[in-house]
Amino acid sequence: MTALDFTSVVERMAPTLRPAAYNLTRDSDDAKDLVQETLLKAFVNRDRFKPGTNLKAWLYTIMRNTFINHYNKVTKRSSSVDTNDYIQTHPADDRMIAVNRATGEFALNDIYAAIDQLPEELRTPFMMYYVGYKYLEIAEKLKLPIGTVKNRIHLARKELKQELKGYAYAD
């Protein structure tokens, strides 16, 4: 297949990609961008396409992989696994803040200490969940069953609640 034939066939298939792109992105502008990027990658990598195979499936695979890669970049950029980034430095509870913020610093030190005391197998999924990872993402990254992830987060919360019960509201 010549480059001109390939270009012609791919351009005719572009309108069929748009609904699938919209299903992935749920935004019309993002869907247009995804289709455009898919077509660009297809043209750049046309030598990898094997004549006689399903071109439409090949294009959908490129589009799905492009979407997944973009999603992973966005989630990695917005979160990290450094535990120092997870802790808020200013407690929202006014009872924990003295005029000079000394009480708040003591509370924060207690929180850090309680988190550090958690076993690694509980601390890691808990901190990942705290910064915004979904259960499924945590399960995939840690290569654990989703039920195990949920259980470990529950146990971490339970241990932290017990360790920090001195800061509980006394309503």
Side-chain angles (χ1 to χ4, degrees):
M1 182 181 293
T2 66
L4 187 58
D5 292 339
F6 181 83
T7 302
S8 170
V9 172
V10 169
E11 284 179 350
R12 277 186 268 134
M13 289 190 173
T16 65
L17 295 173
R18 288 188 184 103
Y22 183 78
N23 282 340
L24 290 170
T25 63
R26 301 288 185 213
D27 181 78
S28 60
D29 290 334
D30 289 342
K32 289 176 188 175
D33 291 343
L34 181 58
V35 169
Q36 186 175 22
E37 193 170 345
T38 300
L39 295 176
L40 178 63
K41 287 182 178 182
F43 293 135
V44 169
N45 295 297
R46 70 177 170 266
D47 57 320
R48 293 184 180 183
F49 176 71
K50 295 178 180 79
T53 59
N54 188 343
L55 178 62
K56 190 174 184 179
W58 188 68
L59 291 171
Y60 278 103
T61 301
I62 292 172
M63 183 169 57
R64 187 189 76 237
N65 290 342
T66 301
F67 174 76
I68 290 169
N69 290 339
H70 177 72
Y71 174 80
N72 287 338
K73 281 182 193 173
V74 169
T75 57
K76 284 180 184 175
R77 193 178 316 139
S78 65
S79 61
S80 74
V81 185
D82 182 15
T83 57
N84 292 331
D85 293 340
Y86 302 144
I87 306 299
Q88 296 175 355
T89 56
H90 300 289
D93 188 353
D94 289 337
R95 296 177 306 140
M96 301 299 160
I97 302 173
V99 175
N100 64 4
R101 298 201 182 275
T103 307
E105 190 173 324
F106 284 121
L108 189 58
N109 289 339
D110 288 348
I111 292 169
Y112 279 123
I115 291 172
D116 286 342
Q117 287 179 4
L118 288 173
E120 182 65 28
E121 65 183 21
L122 300 181
R123 183 176 48 244
T124 300
F126 173 78
M127 294 309 292
M128 290 175 75
Y129 182 77
Y130 180 77
V131 295
Y133 281 93
K134 306 286 185 234
Y135 289 125
L136 188 58
E137 294 171 325
I138 296 168
E140 289 172 357
K141 286 195 180 283
L142 298 179
K143 295 179 174 79
L144 294 170
I146 194 165
T148 302
V149 169
K150 288 179 179 181
N151 186 47
R152 288 181 181 180
I153 292 170
H154 169 75
L155 293 173
R157 286 178 177 160
K158 191 174 174 181
E159 285 191 31
L160 289 173
K161 187 175 180 181
Q162 179 63 32
E163 187 68 29
L164 299 168
K165 66 183 172 188
Y167 293 102
Y169 285 107
D171 292 334

